[in-house]
Each structure stands twice: as structure tokens, then as C-alpha cells.
Amino acid sequence: MNKELLIRILQATVILVILLIFLFLSFGINVFTLAGVSKLPSILSLVVLFWGFYFSIGWKWPVLKSIAKRENLNGTWFGTYTSKNQLTNAEFEGDISVVIRQNFLVVDVKSFTDKYINYSYGEALNYDNKSDKHQLIYLYSQNDFKPTDDNVRRGTSELQLHYDLKKKELFGNFWTNHNSQGYLNLKKISSKQAKSFNEALTYLKK
């Protein structure tokens, strides 16, 4: 959880407490009096219940997602990749599926092609307030158990979230430890999470 996200949560908490105080006042309960102080635990309980709900499912609701600016990327994405080896100038392209599993705090990314599977082992979903853009950055490896092994193909992807007529797209660059650099262009095709490249193809055809 980054600093900006913590600040937004703190600001929302302050606003929520103020709204609850006014709500109590509207029912004739003044929490600033000695008798009203006994109601403070009720306010705190309501705040805790709200954040419990928000962190579990509320952050996915369009009407509430602006509180923490946390985008819901859960599901299966499908698109194309292009890459070029910086040493030999050999070029590659093909179809790719990216499957994202996410809760409020954690993002997990797995990508499938017809030949390879990549597993993420370091992820960050960032929001830039100035540009109003979301960026997904993740490190990935073809070995889920030893992701940092130098003998394993590893890489980094930096993707931006974009809306095309309300449809979500992810696009951006990636780099690998095998001297290649490339570009990903993905569209969300299902809220379900495919377990293989072939399963993702079935979602694409629906």
C-alpha cells in the first residue's frame, strides 16, 4: 500500500467520521457532550464495518471505487505481443492471454501463450493523480518456484489501463533478461480467470 493510497484512506475516514457525527446530531445525540461521548464507540464500530466491507468487495463497486482509486482488473485479458532481440534484431509476434487475480491489496498476474507460461512475483498497481492514469507493473518469470533463477527467462512489464468505449484495455512495454524488448496490447474478454491459453481462447470466441 503506497503513501498516496494511505492518504486517500485517511481522508475518507475523516470525512466518514464527520458525516456520522452530523448523522448522530440529526437524531439529537451530541457526541461533544459528556453524555454523548458514550456513543463514540458506535461511531468507531461503524467506521470499522465500512472499511471491512470496502476492503472485501466495496472497492469493486463503480460508485465507491473513486475513494481509493483502485481499479478492478480481475479476469482474463487477451491480445498480442511483439518483441525484438536487441542483439540479433530477430522479431517475434503472437497472441497472448493475461489472467489477473486481485483483491484490494494484492495483484497476481499469469500470462499464457501457446508455448509458455509466465508467473508474476512482484506487482504494483499505481494511480497517478495528475494524469488520472492507472499503471500495472510486474516482474515475471517462467519458473513459479524459483522466479529469480538467472537461468530462467524473466522480465518486467509496464502496462497502462485505458478505457475504449467503457471497455478496459492494457497496453505497454516489456523487457526480458534475454536481451529482448517488446510491446503488449490487451483487452479484457471475461471476468472469469482462465487456467490455460486454450481456455482463454474459448472466452474470446463467446
Side-chain angles (χ1 to χ4, degrees), residues 5 7 79 81 102 119 132 158 162 164 175 193:
L5 181 56
I7 290 173
Y81 71 88
Q102 176 191 6
Y119 309 87
D132 191 30
E158 294 184 1
H162 174 69
D164 181 19
W175 301 262
Q193 290 146 337

Side-chain angles (χ1 to χ4, degrees), residues 36-90:
V37 169
S38 63
K39 300 298 181 181
L40 288 178
S42 298
I43 292 179
L44 294 177
S45 296
L46 289 172
V47 170
V48 170
L49 286 172
F50 171 80
W51 283 121
F53 160 76
Y54 187 83
F55 291 145
S56 59
I57 59 173
W59 66 277
K60 300 178 183 179
W61 292 17
V63 70
L64 294 177
K65 72 177 184 180
S66 61
I67 293 176
K69 299 291 185 180
R70 198 73 169 170
E71 279 288 339
N72 180 14
L73 304 181
N74 275 298
T76 300
W77 303 67
F78 201 94
T80 59
Y81 71 88
T82 58
S83 67
K84 182 176 182 179
N85 189 296
Q86 302 301 302
L87 298 180
T88 65
N89 289 325

Side-chain angles (χ1 to χ4, degrees), residues 19-49:
L19 290 175
L20 288 172
I21 288 174
F22 276 105
L23 179 64
F24 274 56
L25 287 172
S26 68
F27 285 100
I29 303 172
N30 188 349
V31 298
F32 299 107
T33 64
L34 188 60
V37 169
S38 63
K39 300 298 181 181
L40 288 178
S42 298
I43 292 179
L44 294 177
S45 296
L46 289 172
V47 170
V48 170
L49 286 172

Side-chain angles (χ1 to χ4, degrees), residues 144-161:
D144 194 22
F145 300 101
K146 295 182 179 179
T148 59
D149 189 333
D150 290 335
N151 297 316
V152 175
R153 183 182 290 272
R154 293 178 286 115
T156 303
S157 294
E158 294 184 1
L159 307 179
Q160 284 192 8
L161 177 66

Side-chain angles (χ1 to χ4, degrees), residues 187-206:
K187 291 185 178 181
K188 187 173 181 180
I189 60 171
S190 177
S191 294
K192 297 180 180 179
Q193 290 146 337
K195 297 179 178 63
S196 68
F197 182 76
N198 288 333
E199 184 178 346
L201 284 175
T202 64
Y203 296 161
L204 185 65
K205 295 174 182 178
K206 290 181 179 180

